[in-house]
């Protein structure tokens, strides 16, 4: 039959392609643009509506909206337009001829899952749909059936536990600290005397994050180094330069010390997210889970990320043999896991078909895709 279409819609990028491929066929910015005069959106071909890069290059003429924020879909009409565009333009397929795998965050509300499914069946007319957890898909991408999948994306950091391919009940945890990283870098640069604007200079900010920032193994040791050891020159498009110093490691340091950012004191760090997730599982499984921590997602690409995470998890649970590994191609690791899952011989039996959906309704959605959605863990509950 027709290959399964895999959509991984992140807060920053949407990855899309066909099951069985190693990498997504396309990756577009998860952004929707609408003409400022308030024209009605009539469809993906209407000139008042643009998505992805087509919207960004017209940002001066459009009102931009980001339909996925902090891991959750918040603008459904815009998300529907983006799904249509991805199917018809990027993949050039008729959605009614393909099963679809969608991804969701560990704290995606049940109501959101219902709306996702409703749009797929009633607006895009797909014959079947499956919704998979993004963090768990990192485990599939790494070829593992048991462990803790960790997805450190642009909008949310999340984790989820699996044992032999089955979710371990209500075992997941999230933090939105990763969504604060760009503004944290802007604040650090402004403190050193550079004028960096949150909207107009965001391309530069994202590039510095991707190309110059790194995670220190020890904040104390890194801070004690001389400027000559860590300084780097960053060239701007107009020929001017910025000298980057401590900002390079203080920016991603917030993933491990959220209190570095004002108003983020109560957010969980990445090690806390992993630790809390494992602590929700039966104690007899802790050693196995700590030995299989698999990380992916865009913000896990910082040099030194796995080393630091392993160090902090070892401090939290010294009795276990901690093993943190990174997925190959972290930028689209959840998509790759979805591609592997959707190409499995049993996937057809996992899919919720249109006929079953019409017969059983929303209640069956959660039976098919899993009952429980893990709550965000407050900092007061840390161990």
């Amino acid at each position: 039959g027709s290959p399964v279409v895999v959509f991984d819609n992140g807060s920053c990028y949407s990855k899309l392609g066909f099951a069985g491929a190693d990498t997504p066929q396309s990756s577009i910015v998860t952004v929707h643009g609408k003409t400022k005069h308030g024209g009605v959106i009539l469809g993906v071909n209407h000139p008042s509506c643009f998505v992805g890069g087509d919207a960004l290059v017209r940002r001066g003429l459009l009102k931009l909206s980001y339909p996925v924020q902090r891991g959750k879909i918040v603008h459904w009409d815009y998300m529907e337009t983006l799904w249509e565009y991805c199917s018809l333009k990027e993949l050039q397929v008729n959605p009614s001829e393909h099963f679809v795998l969608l991804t969701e965050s560990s704290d995606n509300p049940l109501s959101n899952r219902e709306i996702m499914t409703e749009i797929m069946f009633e607006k895009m007319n797909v014959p079947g749909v499956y919704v998979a957890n993004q963090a768990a898909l990192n485990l599939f991408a790494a070829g593992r059936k048991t462990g803790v999948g960790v997805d450190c994306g642009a909008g949310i950091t999340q984790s989820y536990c699996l044992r032999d391919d089955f979710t371990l009940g209500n075992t997941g945890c999230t933090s939105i600290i990763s969504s604060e990283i760009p503004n944290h870098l802007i604040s650090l640069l402004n403190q050193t005397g550079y004028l960096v604007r949150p909207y107009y200079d965001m391309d530069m900010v994202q590039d510095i994050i991707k190309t110059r920032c790194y995670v220190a193994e020890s904040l104390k040791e890194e801070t004690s180094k001389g400027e000559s050891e860590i300084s780097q020159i960053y060239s701007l498009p107009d020929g001017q330069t910025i000298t980057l110093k401590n900002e390079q490691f203080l920016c991603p340091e917030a993933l491990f010390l959220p209190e570095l950012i004002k108003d983020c004191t109560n957010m969980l760090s990445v090690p806390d997210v992993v630790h809390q997730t494992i602590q929700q599982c039966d104690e007899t499984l802790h050693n196995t889970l700590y030995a299989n921590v698999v990380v992916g997602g865009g913000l896990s690409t910082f040099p030194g990320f796995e080393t630091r995470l392993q160090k902090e998890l070892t401090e939290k649970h010294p009795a276990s043999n901690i093993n943190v590994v990174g997925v190959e191609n972290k930028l689209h690791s959840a998509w790759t896991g979805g591609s592997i899952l959707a190409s499995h011989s049993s996937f057809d039996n996992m899919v919720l078909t249109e006929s079953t959906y019409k017969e059983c309704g929303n209640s069956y959605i959660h039976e098919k895709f899993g009952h429980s959605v893990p709550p965000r863990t407050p900092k007061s509950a840390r161990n």
Side-chain angles (χ1 to χ4, degrees):
S2 301
V4 178
V5 170
V6 179
F7 285 134
D8 176 34
N9 298 114
S11 303
C12 190
Y13 288 95
S14 290
K15 284 74 70 176
L16 49 138
F18 298 105
D22 293 331
T23 57
Q25 181 169 315
S26 184
S27 178
I28 68 171
V29 180
T30 311
V31 62
H32 177 281
K34 182 178 178 181
T35 51
K36 292 182 178 179
H37 57 69
V40 178
I41 298 174
L42 300 178
V44 295
N45 294 319
H46 195 274
S48 68
C49 166
F50 299 90
V51 300
D54 290 340
L56 289 181
V57 297
R58 297 172 174 85
R59 68 178 69 187
L61 304 173
L62 303 174
K63 179 183 179 181
L64 298 184
S65 298
Y66 295 85
V68 181
Q69 296 177 16
R70 293 178 168 177
K72 301 185 189 70
I73 299 172
V74 294
H75 297 296
W76 290 102
D77 289 345
Y78 299 160
M79 196 68 225
E80 182 184 338
T81 302
L82 191 140
W83 278 327
E84 289 179 1
Y85 173 87
C86 289
S87 299
L88 301 175
K89 297 296 183 180
E90 293 290 329
L91 298 181
Q92 297 184 347
V93 297
N94 183 344
S96 66
E97 298 175 355
H98 297 262
F99 285 164
V100 171
L101 182 146
L102 299 173
T103 65
E104 67 175 0
S105 64
S106 294
D107 64 348
N108 192 38
L110 298 180
S111 57
N112 273 24
R113 187 188 290 171
E114 293 172 3
I115 298 172
M116 292 165 69
T117 307
E118 178 184 331
I119 290 174
M120 286 293 130
F121 284 128
E122 299 186 10
K123 299 294 183 67
M124 298 184 66
N125 300 310
V126 303
V129 66
Y130 186 80
V131 181
N133 179 277
Q134 290 163 334
L137 290 176
N138 280 298
L139 285 169
F140 289 113
R144 303 196 184 197
K145 296 182 178 181
T146 298
V148 187
V150 184
D151 194 273
C152 192
I156 188 172
T157 292
Q158 54 183 313
S159 60
Y160 213 65
C161 290
L162 291 180
R163 182 187 184 189
D164 296 328
D165 285 347
F166 292 99
T167 178
L168 291 172
N170 194 26
T171 56
C173 189
T174 64
S175 173
I176 56 174
I177 185 59
S178 49
S179 67
E180 302 292 333
I181 295 302
N183 285 332
H184 181 42
L185 178 58
I186 290 173
S187 176
L188 290 169
L189 290 171
N190 286 340
Q191 289 172 27
T192 62
Y194 297 108
L195 177 60
V196 182
R197 300 162 297 178
Y199 181 78
Y200 295 98
D201 296 323
M202 195 54 75
D203 289 346
M204 177 195 74
V205 169
Q206 294 288 3
D207 188 60
I208 292 175
I209 289 173
K210 291 177 183 178
T211 63
R212 301 303 175 94
C213 289
Y214 62 93
V215 174
E217 184 173 354
S218 166
L219 177 60
K220 183 178 180 180
E221 291 180 12
E222 204 68 21
T223 306
S224 67
K225 291 181 179 179
E227 286 188 4
S228 60
E229 290 185 74
I230 60 174
S231 293
Q232 287 195 68
I233 302 298
Y234 180 82
S235 299
L236 302 174
D238 62 3
Q240 297 187 60
T241 60
I242 292 177
T243 301
L244 298 172
K245 300 175 184 176
N246 287 6
E247 308 85 37
Q248 297 170 98
F249 62 85
L250 287 179
C251 172
E253 183 66 25
L255 295 171
F256 297 86
L257 284 174
E259 49 265 39
L260 290 177
I261 304 177
K262 184 181 178 182
D263 300 327
C264 293
T265 303
N266 291 325
M267 292 185 187
L268 291 177
S269 68
V270 176
D272 285 325
V273 167
V274 179
H275 182 66
Q276 286 292 330
T277 301
I278 294 175
Q279 292 300 309
Q280 293 171 23
C281 299
D282 189 280
E283 190 173 351
T284 60
L285 297 173
H286 287 187
N287 287 340
T288 299
L289 295 172
Y290 277 116
N292 292 277
V293 179
V294 177
V295 299
L299 292 188
S300 70
T301 59
F302 288 124
F305 184 91
E306 286 108 298
T307 301
R308 176 67 175 277
L309 181 56
Q310 176 146 337
K311 177 184 177 183
E312 296 216 3
L313 288 177
T314 300
E315 292 174 356
K316 288 179 177 292
H317 208 268
S320 292
N321 179 26
I322 311 292
N323 186 33
V324 178
V325 297
V327 182
E328 188 177 355
N329 297 320
K330 293 177 180 177
L331 289 174
H332 49 73
S333 51
W335 186 93
T336 300
S339 173
I340 293 170
L341 177 61
S343 59
H344 196 275
S345 58
S346 64
F347 185 72
D348 285 0
N349 296 325
M350 299 167 61
V351 167
L352 175 64
T353 62
E354 182 184 21
S355 58
T356 303
Y357 170 73
K358 288 182 176 179
E359 179 183 348
C360 301
N362 284 339
S363 61
Y364 192 66
I365 292 173
H366 312 303
E367 284 188 43
K368 198 72 175 175
F369 307 145
H371 291 281
S372 54
V373 177
R376 181 172 289 119
T377 309
K379 190 171 183 178
S380 58
R382 292 183 190 177
N383 289 336

